[in-house]
Amino acid sequence: MYPEDTPHVPVQRAVEVHQPTPYPPAAPVSAPVVPVQPGTVPAVASIVLPDGRVVTGYAIEPTRPEPVAAKPAVSRTAVNVALGGGGFLAVCGGLVLLTSFIAALTAFITQLITLAAVIFGGWIAVQIFSARGHQGGGTTVNIRKAVFKRNHFHG
């Protein structure tokens, strides 16, 4: 705290001593005693001591603490955290299911398009290859018997 080469001398302070001043006892103020009727008359109890003396007085009921409000078994914060976590998991699960549904729907549509292309391509291939196989329906020209005159064909 202090550098090694700096001399340190503790500061001396003046000490003041305070002595308590006694107060004279206050004169008792005598207030008039007003009899007050209690709401209920307390029960008088008498006790006989072992030496034969009898002590009579009012029984004092012990003070009962106020009932504590019933607390829930689980704190509200814990319930809110649990409900929030459950809701978060439900949303995440729903998003996973939605993503899976979209991926499956995309694959299904892709397979339908591929199937349509294969069927349509096969139909076109059948039309092309079946037209070459037979000579019916089109115009057939027998060039050996034909007579050409001035760029006109006479058959």
Side-chain angles (χ1 to χ4, degrees), residues 29-78:
V29 177
S30 60
V33 177
V34 178
V36 177
Q37 284 288 10
T40 61
V41 177
V44 178
S46 296
I47 300 174
V48 179
L49 297 176
D51 60 356
R53 293 181 293 163
V54 178
V55 178
T56 304
Y58 294 108
I60 300 174
E61 293 183 16
T63 58
R64 295 180 184 168
E66 294 183 20
V68 179
K71 292 183 180 179
V74 180
S75 69
R76 291 181 184 175
T77 304

